[in-house]
Amino acid sequence: MPAYTADQLHWKAVAHKVAEEVVRPQAKKYDELQQYPWEIKDAMAKAGLMSVWIPKEYGGSGGGVGSLCVVIEELSRACGGVGVAYAVNALGSFPILLGGTEEQKQKWLPLIAKGEKLIAFGLSEKFAGSDAGGMRTHGRLDGDHYVINGEKKWCTNGGCADIFSVFCVTDPESKAKRISALLVEKGTPGFTLQKQEDKMGIRCVPVNEIHFKECRVPVANLLGGKPGHGFKHAMQTLDYARPGVAAQAMGLACGALELSQVYAQKRQQFGVPISSHQAVGFMLADMATKVEAARLLVMEAARLVDARAEGITKLSAMCKLYATDVAMEVTTNAVQIFGGYGYMKDYPIEKYMRDAKITQIYEGTNQIQRMVVARNLVKETTELDFLQKWIPTEVQRGGIEPVAVIAKA
Ligand code: CAA
């Protein structure tokens, strides 16, 4: 167990109560209906959960990413769909927190903290998923408005959000300052909600395409008031948000593990509980070890994000990739432990496995996370120059043999 702060323990208890009283009993219903759980959102807002990650000066509770992760874990233990329906508001609001003007922060964040407005994040497109910088949605400056044309794909919360952080190309000629972020309100003429996806998991949260046709957004909604900073704001946002996806994954893994523990203790085969068969006992031991390791990594990443420490990009990617791979492994093994019962929709365990899969994909596939980690390792290698003398001399020279040596041979 990580060394939680008093604030984190407080939010853990509040979120646990909401999860057990409101979320778990209704998880199956909303999964089947594939409908946004408004009553659960109201219960979360009433308990103050929507304010957790927002600083006090903007109407929040100032719990930061650490408390946010604790809440996401508790909710996801009961339902992974509710976990992301909650977490995606942090993803949508981080661009404002990280890059917004004081006026933009004062205008939008208190409404989000109260749960009066939901927010979504519009980055991915049909032809620009992993290659986020390859987006085509365009924002043209026209007087005191930007005119947006294009479409965004896989917008989580799309069908229920009031505000959208939308990334678009405002300077196609520039390499470094090509992209800007605009805050778009639902109901703006030219903005439409399109295809609602029919998903394998996280079914209670609507994921939509959002389309823009000559959609006019006031210049005042340009994030940070200056164009060209959108890509950096998107990347920084993902650094802040990925521990939340990791927490969702870890909550799913933990929820599936807990159900498996109970099942394996009660289920008798060959005259004893199956947990006393080494084959199952060792599975449970590995599952529990990996959940705990994931939790420690997530909370350490969150701590460093809150401390605005150097190098958070790498740790944020690491915790996302590790916890989500663990979630897939643990939830799959949980279905295995439940055997025939595990495969049936009568019981919640199969839903954990379905909900877990997306965590390896969204907010950057785990292949992208590995790429981010690998790139950072290359950067850090210059600090290890002092170790060079311990590697083969010819390798130190970059594999190029001096001409004299070749001539002699
Ligand atoms: N923080 C600050 N700046 C950063 C940064 C970071 N973490 N990462 C990159 N940058 C900067 C670089 O320093 C560079 O700046 P300069 O030009 O000034 O040097 C610039 O951004 C470009 O960086 P790269 O050359 O590294 O960019 P790239 O095109 O090679 O892409 C990438 C990098 C990491 C692959 C990035 O494209 C990426 O993260 N892709 C995945 C996108 C993603 O996660 N999408 C999911 C969206 S959300 C979602 O899933 C839906 C939902 O609703 C939940």
Side-chain angles (χ1 to χ4, degrees), residues 130 156 231-232 235 238-239 242 313 362-364 371 375:
S130 292
T156 310
F231 194 73
K232 285 228 160 122
M235 292 299 109
L238 291 168
D239 288 346
R242 283 174 180 155
T313 301
Y362 61 20
E363 290 194 38
M371 191 179 101
R375 281 183 180 182

Side-chain angles (χ1 to χ4, degrees), residues 138-331:
H138 184 260
R140 177 182 87 243
L141 186 61
D142 180 19
D144 54 2
H145 283 78
Y146 276 96
V147 184
I148 314 178
N149 282 288
E151 53 189 67
K152 293 285 167 185
K153 185 97 178 140
W154 305 298
C155 181
T156 310
N157 239 11
C160 57
D162 308 281
I163 315 158
F164 296 78
S165 299
V166 176
F167 295 82
C168 54
V169 178
T170 48
D171 187 353
E173 305 309 318
S174 167
K175 210 168 165 225
K177 300 250 164 107
R178 202 171 152 258
I179 294 168
S180 303
L182 289 159
L183 298 163
V184 182
E185 287 185 82
K186 186 171 81 178
T188 307
F191 168 90
T192 50
L193 276 182
Q194 298 283 342
K195 184 177 178 225
Q196 182 162 330
E197 307 289 350
D198 186 6
K199 307 181 297 306
M200 173 198 277
I202 58 157
R203 287 170 57 80
C204 71
V205 60
V207 172
N208 291 69
E209 284 181 14
I210 52 173
H211 289 199
F212 304 89
K213 198 169 174 197
E214 291 293 289
C215 176
R216 295 180 73 82
V217 176
V219 168
N221 289 15
L222 173 69
L223 194 78
K226 287 190 200 127
H229 297 283
F231 194 73
K232 285 228 160 122
H233 288 149
M235 292 299 109
Q236 285 166 348
T237 290
L238 291 168
D239 288 346
Y240 270 60
R242 283 174 180 155
V245 180
Q248 182 206 2
M250 192 249 296
L252 281 163
C254 184
L257 168 66
E258 287 165 344
L259 284 171
S260 303
Q261 285 173 256
V262 175
Y263 179 87
Q265 199 65 30
K266 290 285 171 195
R267 173 73 169 163
Q268 301 257 340
Q269 289 292 280
F270 305 103
V272 289
I274 61 169
S275 58
S276 57
H277 296 301
Q278 199 178 63
V280 175
F282 279 14
M283 273 172 91
L284 288 166
D286 284 344
M287 288 156 74
T289 305
K290 288 179 184 179
V291 169
E292 200 53 45
R295 184 178 285 120
L296 292 167
L297 190 54
V298 171
M299 292 312 294
E300 179 60 3
R303 189 184 69 78
L304 291 177
V305 169
D306 284 334
R308 304 250 193 291
E310 287 286 312
I312 58 165
T313 301
K314 185 180 78 172
L315 205 62
S316 178
M318 280 176 164
C319 80
K320 195 274 186 188
L321 88 86
Y322 183 73
T324 62
D325 281 355
V326 163
M328 205 58 236
E329 185 185 326
V330 167
T331 56

Side-chain angles (χ1 to χ4, degrees), residues 59-82:
S61 305
V65 174
S67 294
L68 171 73
C69 286
V70 165
V71 173
I72 296 171
E73 180 193 344
E74 286 302 325
L75 297 172
S76 304
R77 267 158 99 158
C79 174
V82 169

